[in-house]
């Protein structure tokens, strides 16, 4: 029983309960993380659980309904980040377009800022104040070439608890998709593709590989990041309802299973503006492919504990990375200097 408790990613409520000496671990029905059957079992508190929890850092994943109103979006994000920090999360993940979702291309371009702008400054302040790492998925960034291209980048930033930007990844696969009568997206009309894949970054939860939304459909990038040492793959997203209901969970679990990484996917949910609704289903998948946390409908948070011991055991017991046949199909890696297209 103790074993089951130690291996179970406990939500912060469970964790708090579990750490109280002599208490029973109980299901808390209002907790969105308590979906998996393992979380519903009762177990007596035992010494050692606290130590085991300390080795399994807690992460928080945010689900939002961004609109064109930047102030309102910041207020929503900061509330979630504060709540996550209070519950003890060390890394907080925000979805693609956490800053805003414009109602048309012109509005999107006019609301975009550069990395030195007020928006990122405010998030740096929040990271410092709360003492957390922040994964800011999909910031609408006016890059250095803004004046000449009049296009932005879709930029995923990682901030450390001092508010420093420790990594920036600019979305490399742009979503140009036309499903007649249902979905129409032409991201390349207002976005430049990122020039490179960024090596994973060490955080207290593990080594984080950065990607964004539509990148999820390209297993090559997840494999390249894993071969560079990633333990946690991140896909901050704003999936459509049509494609999300068909593909979202399958793709996330497939990426987790084939790379043996944790997969963290913060998502937009609900009605962003008159003509846009996002799929939601923010989730965390473990390296075995189990969904260990998931948000309900609407804005909110879910939590998971990252157990790198569990990840290592899976990779040891099923060492797929040593079974690759690079002699047959080549090797996918992060190229320091990408080849010209
Ligand atoms: O444009 C913004 O403001 C924020 N960015 C997005 O919403 C992006 C580009 S349009 N959306 C996707 O990539 C959806 C992918 C998707 O739905 C799929 O792969 O099925």
């Amino acid at each position: 029983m103790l074993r089951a408790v130690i291996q179970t990613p406990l939500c912060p409520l469970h964790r708090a309960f579990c750490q109280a000496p002599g208490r029973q671990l109980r299901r808390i029905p209002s907790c969105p993380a308590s979906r998996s059957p393992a979380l519903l079992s009762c177990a007596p508190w035992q010494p050692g659980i606290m130590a085991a929890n300390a080795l399994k850092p807690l992460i928080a994943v945010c689900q939002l309904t961004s609109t064109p109103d930047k102030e309102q979006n910041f207020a929503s994000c900061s509330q979630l980040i504060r709540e996550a920090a209070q519950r003890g999360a060390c890394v907080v993940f925000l979805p693609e377009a956490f800053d805003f979702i414009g109602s048309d291309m012109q509005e999107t371009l006019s609301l975009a800022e550069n990395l030195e702008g007020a928006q990122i400054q405010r998030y740096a302040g929040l990271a410092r104040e709360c003492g957390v790492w922040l994964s800011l998925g999909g910031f609408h960034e006016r890059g250095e070439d803004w004046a000449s291209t009049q296009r932005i980048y879709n930029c995923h930033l990682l901030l450390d608890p001092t508010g420093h930007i420790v990594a920036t990844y600019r979305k490399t696969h742009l979503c140009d998709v036309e499903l007649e009568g249902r979905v129409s997206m032409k991201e390349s009309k207002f976005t430049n593709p990122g020039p490179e894949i960024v090596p994973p970054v060490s955080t207290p939860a593990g080594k984080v590989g950065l990607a964004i939304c539509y990148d999820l459909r390209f297993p090559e990038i997840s494999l390249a990041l894993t071969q560079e040492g990633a333990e946690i793959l991140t896909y901050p997203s704003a999936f459509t309802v049509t494609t999300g209901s068909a593909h979202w969970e399958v793709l996330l679990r497939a990426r987790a299973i084939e790379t043996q990484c944790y997969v963290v996917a913060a998502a937009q949910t609900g009605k962003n503006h008159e003509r846009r609704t996002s799929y939601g289903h923010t989730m965390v998948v473990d390296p075995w492919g189990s969904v260990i946390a998931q948000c309900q409908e609407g804005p909110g948070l879910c939590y998971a504990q990252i157990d790198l011991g569990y990840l290592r055991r899976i990779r040891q017991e099923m060492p797929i990375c040593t079974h690759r046949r690079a002699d047959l199909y080549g090797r996918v890696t992060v190229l320091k200097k990408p080849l010209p297209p």
Side-chain angles (χ1 to χ4, degrees):
M1 210 54 206
L2 172 66
R3 195 176 145 88
V5 171
I6 286 178
Q7 288 178 355
T8 301
L10 301 170
C11 82
L13 290 173
H14 288 97
R15 193 177 65 135
F17 215 78
C18 178
Q19 284 177 352
R23 304 300 289 272
Q24 296 280 310
L25 178 64
R26 241 182 358 123
R27 181 187 181 202
I28 299 167
S30 61
C31 171
S34 58
R35 288 167 48 96
S36 121
L39 285 174
L40 308 185
S41 62
C42 290
W45 183 89
Q46 299 203 20
I49 289 179
M50 226 163 107
N53 277 332
L55 296 174
K56 294 192 290 180
L58 188 74
I59 61 162
V61 195
C62 300
Q63 179 161 282
L64 296 171
T65 307
S66 292
T67 69
D69 185 341
K70 279 165 54 165
E71 284 305 314
Q72 182 60 50
N73 299 334
F74 180 75
S76 308
C77 290
S78 53
Q79 197 187 345
L80 294 175
I81 292 167
R82 288 203 169 91
E83 185 178 331
Q86 269 168 15
R87 296 260 186 114
C90 60
V91 189
V92 185
F93 297 81
L94 298 189
E96 184 180 35
F98 66 93
D99 52 350
F100 63 85
I101 288 195
S103 45
D104 56 41
M105 192 178 93
Q106 279 321 316
E107 187 176 40
T108 299
L109 293 176
S110 70
L111 292 173
E113 297 181 20
N114 60 33
L115 296 184
E116 291 73 45
Q119 195 71 231
I120 295 302
Q121 294 295 331
R122 290 206 283 192
Y123 280 97
L126 257 181
R128 271 193 297 275
E129 178 197 321
C130 297
V132 292
W133 289 70
L134 291 179
S135 152
L136 304 177
F139 175 69
H140 298 86
E141 182 208 3
R142 288 189 183 182
E144 282 173 3
D145 55 4
W146 165 250
S148 60
T149 66
Q150 295 292 303
R151 282 185 172 79
I152 55 177
Y153 289 91
N154 191 339
C155 182
H156 182 171
L157 296 90
L158 202 61
L159 305 189
D160 73 14
T162 70
H164 275 105
I165 300 175
V166 295
T168 51
Y169 163 74
R170 296 173 177 92
K171 191 178 187 184
T172 48
H173 303 91
L174 299 182
C175 184
D176 291 351
V177 173
E178 200 67 48
L179 308 180
E180 212 181 316
R182 290 162 295 158
V183 173
S184 176
M185 283 181 292
K186 189 112 181 87
E187 192 173 19
S188 65
K189 244 176 127 177
F190 57 93
T191 311
N192 293 312
E196 61 189 2
I197 300 173
V198 174
V201 180
S202 285
T203 75
K207 279 191 137 189
V208 173
L210 304 176
I212 304 175
C213 193
Y214 190 61
D215 286 332
L216 172 60
R217 295 180 179 276
F218 303 86
E220 292 90 343
I221 179 169
S222 64
L223 205 52
L225 288 167
T226 304
Q227 290 181 164
E228 292 291 314
E231 294 160 329
I232 302 171
L233 298 174
T234 54
Y235 294 101
S237 294
F239 255 56
T240 68
V241 174
T242 306
T243 56
S245 51
H247 301 158
W248 174 250
E249 182 175 335
V250 181
L251 286 171
L252 291 169
R253 295 182 66 193
R255 297 296 84 86
I257 293 165
E258 67 203 7
T259 61
Q260 302 176 313
C261 282
Y262 279 90
V263 168
V264 175
Q268 290 285 337
T269 181
K271 192 167 172 180
N272 306 102
H273 58 72
E274 274 313 308
R275 281 162 295 98
R276 169 112 187 216
T277 306
S278 300
Y279 179 63
H281 294 262
T282 288
M283 65 174 71
V284 181
V285 186
D286 78 13
W288 186 246
S290 305
V291 177
I292 58 169
Q294 179 164 189
C295 284
Q296 306 169 348
E297 302 257 304
L301 286 156
C302 66
Y303 296 88
Q305 282 185 292
I306 301 297
D307 185 347
L308 294 180
Y310 181 55
L311 177 147
R312 280 183 207 112
R313 206 184 83 205
I314 288 171
R315 290 184 179 184
Q316 201 166 35
E317 291 181 349
M318 195 189 273
I320 55 180
C321 80
T322 67
H323 297 155
R324 286 228 137 68
R325 290 293 307 272
D327 57 321
L328 302 181
Y329 39 68
R331 200 179 135 81
V332 180
T333 64
V334 175
L335 298 176
K336 299 296 171 243
K337 195 168 168 20
L339 304 166

